[in-house]
Amino acid sequence: MTGKCEDVRARNNSKEQGACSLQNTPVKQHSETPPPSPLISRSRGTSQRTNSKRRRHEKSTDRYIPNRSSTDVDMIHHLMTSKKSKLSSSSSAETPSKKSSKLVGRCLFSAENAKKACTKLLSFTAKRKLDFSMSECLLPRGLKTQLKLKEETALKILNAPGAAKNFYYNLVDWGVNNIVVIGLKEDVYYWDAAKSQAYVLPQEAGRDGDLVTCVRWKPDATKHIVASRYGTTKLWDSTVCKLVSSHVSPTVYSASWRDNNLVSLGRGDGTVLHWDVRTPDTLHRPFSATSGIICGVDWDREGESLAVGCNDNKVQIFRNTNLRESETLTMVYQSAVKAISWNPLQRGVLATGSGQNDQRVVVWDLISGNYKNCIDTKSQVTGLIWSPSCNQLVTSHGHFDPNLRLWELKNSTNTCKLTGHTNMIVSIAKSPLNDHIISLSADESLRVWNIFAKNNASNKSKLSSSALSLDKIR
């Protein structure tokens, strides 16, 4: 007996020691390190794809719980009850419950929900959200054909030998007397749009290389200024073709009249000079606007704000009443800004067009401090003109696309392309009735367009009836 008891005790002790050894042995635990980042490249592409699918599935769905937002509970209830009623009903007579069931079925399985009838009853995935930016891809094909770009050709073409190819020059202006003033090389020409006649303005001799850089009519078209490359700015009386006054200053590239008495000149040294033509020999002190070339200036209709475009990629707004530099507002671009035009019907709205490295047209609301439109024209912008109703813009272009384009500001789309020029369009101007546009290009041609005349049938053009003939400036 004692021997047996000792054997039992020995067995129990061995079991306890074995249990203690099992408790002391380290247990291998699974590592809880997060999966590698998707930015890190892995050699095994299949395992990476399967892991990404698992993670995506774990985040978006649950394997056993249906998704209520994508499950049509009403349709499921109707399908289940209608099947039950078919199995339980032995008679073919229509009961009120059957009639109501059929009516519910017609509503549920309409044309819109026809696809749902063939799908599974329970959905385990969330509804796919439609991105608003993708709505263009879902438009019917017929709608895209309606947005086809129209192309227009010029109403009249004139030869202009020697037209300069310079982004900064402003060489065309159309006065209220229906006469276009044009700068070609060292000479200035008049073209009477009503009579379709051209003649040259007499100039003094010995001006070789003194190219015309800017021309601008006075608002009443009795006088105009002519600026040249060597810094001479002249005031001409167009009624008698007589030189009234002149002065020498840094080269003037742009000009804008505030009224019939005062003109602002944008110069190549970055200053703006105000010139009161009532006292032609008296000049106001110029103020500095930039360190580069001023290539565009424009007064608003009230004569309170002056917009200045520079080749330092800025547009500055000067609000002044005493012709001195005062409150300024600066807008920064990625290229020089030459095309500047205030909205003639709405106060405080300014359109700007930038050069080759920016290629944008931006319409600013300076009262609210925000922009209304921003259009990528994909070409250098050299000029801007508002439509008579100010709901459209015409832009002229240089590098990459030397044509004119008509833009709808409501949706910022290009609706018409005016083709014909083969080189940079240097300057554009509009007629007194705002129904025609004239453009001067470095391809040595002047072209007249009637894009606004078609949109405004009430405006009668004063162009000559022989408008389709080819005339020569010289």
Side-chain angles (χ1 to χ4, degrees):
M1 290 294 290
T2 57
K4 290 182 181 180
C5 292
E6 289 177 0
D7 293 337
V8 172
R9 287 175 187 169
R11 286 183 201 140
N12 292 337
N13 292 333
S14 63
K15 287 182 182 180
E16 289 177 0
Q17 290 176 1
C20 293
S21 63
L22 287 174
Q23 290 176 2
N24 295 329
T25 54
V27 180
K28 292 185 179 180
Q29 296 180 357
H30 294 286
S31 61
E32 297 181 356
T33 57
S37 172
L39 297 177
I40 301 175
S41 60
R42 295 171 64 91
S43 58
R44 297 181 181 179
T46 54
S47 61
Q48 184 180 4
R49 282 196 296 270
T50 53
N51 291 336
S52 63
K53 286 182 179 179
R54 285 175 187 170
R55 288 195 297 270
R56 214 180 304 130
H57 180 75
E58 289 172 0
K59 288 180 182 179
S60 60
T61 62
D62 193 294
R63 186 173 178 181
Y64 302 107
I65 301 176
N67 192 302
R68 286 183 174 271
S69 62
S70 58
T71 302
D72 197 335
V73 180
D74 294 332
M75 186 177 292
I76 293 172
H77 180 267
H78 172 74
L79 290 173
M80 294 177 68
T81 54
S82 62
K83 287 178 182 178
K84 278 186 179 181
S85 61
K86 285 180 182 178
L87 293 172
S88 61
S89 62
S90 58
S91 62
S92 60
E94 266 193 342
T95 60
S97 61
K98 286 184 179 181
K99 289 182 180 180
S100 62
S101 178
K102 282 185 178 181
L103 182 61
V104 172
R106 288 173 190 171
C107 297
L108 290 173
F109 295 102
S110 58
E112 298 178 357
N113 299 324
K115 294 181 180 179
K116 293 182 182 180
C118 302
T119 59
K120 296 179 181 180
L121 294 181
L122 299 179
S123 176
F124 294 90
T125 58
K127 280 186 179 180
R128 184 181 178 183
K129 295 182 180 180
L130 179 64
D131 190 3
F132 185 74
S133 61
M134 297 296 291
S135 59
E136 184 181 357
C137 302
L138 303 175
L139 292 176
R141 293 182 180 179
L143 188 59
K144 291 186 178 180
T145 59
Q146 297 176 7
L147 302 177
K148 186 177 179 180
L149 188 66
K150 296 189 300 181
E151 290 193 5
E152 298 287 345
T153 56
L155 173 69
K156 189 176 183 66
I157 304 174
L158 300 97
N159 290 335
K165 184 180 180 180
N166 195 309
F167 173 76
Y168 299 106
Y169 288 2
N170 292 274
L171 301 177
V172 171
D173 198 19
W174 202 330
V176 294
N177 54 0
N178 209 17
I179 295 178
V180 182
V181 58
I182 308 149
L184 296 176
K185 289 189 176 180
E186 300 91 355
D187 299 320
V188 177
Y189 292 83
Y190 292 154
W191 179 66
D192 193 332
K195 300 177 182 179
S196 191
Q197 295 179 353
Y199 47 96
V200 64
L201 192 65
Q203 299 278 356
E204 65 273 13
R207 296 178 54 252
D208 294 340
D210 194 12
L211 304 179
V212 177
T213 59
C214 179
V215 294
R216 185 68 65 189
W217 278 108
K218 194 178 174 182
D220 59 4
T222 58
K223 297 181 178 65
H224 66 83
I225 64 166
V226 177
S228 59
R229 182 181 178 183
Y230 294 159
T232 304
T233 305
K234 300 177 181 179
L235 179 66
W236 284 85
D237 188 341
S238 61
T239 58
V240 293
C241 292
K242 181 181 177 181
L243 180 63
V244 177
S245 178
S246 66
H247 70 269
V248 179
S249 67
T251 307
V252 173
Y253 291 96
S254 57
S256 178
W257 292 81
R258 190 180 73 167
D259 48 37
N260 281 318
N261 301 321
L262 187 132
V263 60
S264 298
L265 308 174
R267 307 195 295 183
D269 63 346
T271 60
V272 176
L273 176 67
H274 299 300
W275 187 12
D276 193 338
V277 297
R278 291 173 296 184
T279 56
D281 298 331
T282 303
L283 301 175
H284 294 274
R285 180 178 62 86
F287 66 88
S288 178
T290 180
S291 58
I293 298 174
I294 296 179
C295 44
V297 292
D298 192 33
W299 280 100
D300 64 353
R301 60 176 183 176
E302 293 83 10
E304 297 176 354
S305 299
L306 178 66
V308 179
C310 316
N311 73 338
D312 63 349
N313 308 345
K314 294 179 182 179
V315 173
Q316 299 189 60
I317 311 299
F318 295 93
R319 296 188 177 95
N320 53 35
T321 55
N322 54 0
L323 304 181
R324 294 181 182 177
E325 183 179 359
S326 58
E327 182 184 358
T328 60
L329 177 65
T330 303
M331 295 163 283
V332 182
Y333 297 79
Q334 297 178 5
S335 184
V337 181
K338 173 190 176 183
I340 298 176
S341 181
W342 291 93
N343 189 321
L345 300 181
Q346 189 174 358
R347 181 185 176 92
V349 176
L350 176 69
T352 60
S354 49
Q356 184 175 349
N357 296 331
D358 195 293
Q359 305 176 3
R360 289 181 300 169
V361 171
V362 184
V363 180
W364 298 91
D365 186 354
L366 300 181
I367 297 177
S368 63
N370 299 319
Y371 69 89
K372 302 177 68 175
N373 300 84
C374 185
I375 304 170
D376 183 8
T377 64
K378 303 186 185 305
S379 181
Q380 180 187 42
V381 183
T382 60
L384 281 172
I385 289 180
W386 290 90
S387 68
S389 57
C390 293
N391 59 353
Q392 296 172 317
L393 270 178
V394 171
T395 57
S396 61
H397 300 276
H399 291 293
F400 308 126
D401 185 21
N403 292 299
L404 288 91
R405 291 181 177 270
L406 178 67
W407 303 89
E408 287 284 347
L409 295 181
K410 184 177 180 180
N411 48 14
S412 300
T413 56
N414 182 206
T415 58
C416 185
K417 184 178 181 180
L418 310 178
T419 59
H421 286 299
T422 58
N423 208 329
M424 173 193 290
I425 300 175
V426 180
S427 302
I428 57 175
K430 61 180 177 180
S431 65
L433 295 178
N434 298 328
D435 53 356
H436 289 79
I437 291 175
I438 190 168
S439 58
L440 174 65
S441 172
D443 62 3
E444 298 187 341
S445 71
L446 273 163
R447 295 174 187 261
V448 181
W449 315 85
N450 65 341
I451 180 66
F452 292 147
K454 291 182 178 180
N455 297 337
N456 301 279
S458 59
N459 290 341
K460 295 182 179 179
S461 172
K462 292 185 178 180
L463 289 175
S464 172
S465 58
S466 61
L468 295 177
S469 63
L470 184 66
D471 293 347
K472 293 184 179 180
I473 292 291
R474 56 170 166 172

